[in-house]
Amino acid sequence: MNSKRSFVTIANLSREKIMHLIGMAQEFEKCPNRKILDNRVVATLFFEPSTRTRLSFETAANRLGARVIGFTDPKVTSSTKGETLKDTIMMVSNYADVIVMRHYLEGAARYASEVSPVPVVNAGDGANQHPSQTMLDLYSIYKTQGTLDDLDIFLVGDLKYGRTVHSLLMAMRHFNPTFHFIAPKELAMPEEYKAYCREQHIRYVEHEDFNADIIAGADILYMTRVQRERFTDLMEYERVKDVYILRASMLKQARPNMKILHPLPRVNEIAYDVDNDPHAYYFEQARNGLFARQAIICDVLGITPEDMALQQIC
Ligand code: CP
């Protein structure tokens, strides 16, 4: 019933819908405290670890006046006794008006949205998608570039397992981007996403080198972590984990408008000397997650910008 209102994938969002959510995020950034969700309950079910996604969703709900229930460790739930995901979702939907879920299985959010009587928000499903991260990425790009159109976007690192880059690539299809994929062979962008680019007439160039000359053409330099938890062969992880490290000395030729994004957490891929460089934007990017997630929660609950305007306690 609610799969229409659920937020499971970025792939089916229109340009208009993306701009609508960005507009809502802008309003929430001006005034984050609005008691629009008094008497509502938001459940956060995290079957995988998280810092930013869970805390920003919970902050978003709290600043909207909702109450939050949930878990951060599935070992303390009845899933350890064999309860299925379907039954867990059916139970939680008895208690909450919206379910925010991170799960290690690709497709888990889609499945949950199909069985749930309340809207489900995908907070990351395996190596598949991370659409709320994409909304905050799009909001960050829009804020820093003044547009989403015609940008040169460089994706760096783990493009094989990185769900954030897969979701960003799909969302940008409306905005005529040129992508540069910078990855070692072992972590190259999967063929299915390159085929998607070709179908959608998205330009892309692939590189294995990562240096100042190559990144000089970027409007957005999107760094990613090599995700140890996705490797079945840890020797392979050891081979590729430190293959690209961004240092401040590599930014001398960067475009003035260029911003460095990273979904975080970082491990070694951005040296600490980059943090004070004016191109660094990853901590502000994470802050933007609060406003983007306020927009998403409200949207799945059918709350409009007009409803928002009635409830401002800045
Ligand atoms: N970007 C992101 O998903 O961070 P967390 O894993 O800390 O939620």
Side-chain angles (χ1 to χ4, degrees), residues 203-222:
R203 290 175 298 280
Y204 69 86
V205 185
E206 291 185 274
H207 311 261
E208 281 189 53
D209 289 336
F210 177 58
N211 58 46
D213 290 338
I214 286 180
I215 63 177
D219 297 309
I220 295 294
L221 183 61
Y222 195 102

Side-chain angles (χ1 to χ4, degrees), residues 46 49-54 102 123 130 133 163-164 263-265 293:
F46 277 70
S50 167
T51 297
R52 278 146 292 275
T53 308
R54 183 177 67 81
R102 171 170 288 186
H130 195 350
Q133 175 72 42
R163 58 194 174 194
T164 64
L264 303 178
R293 287 174 172 130

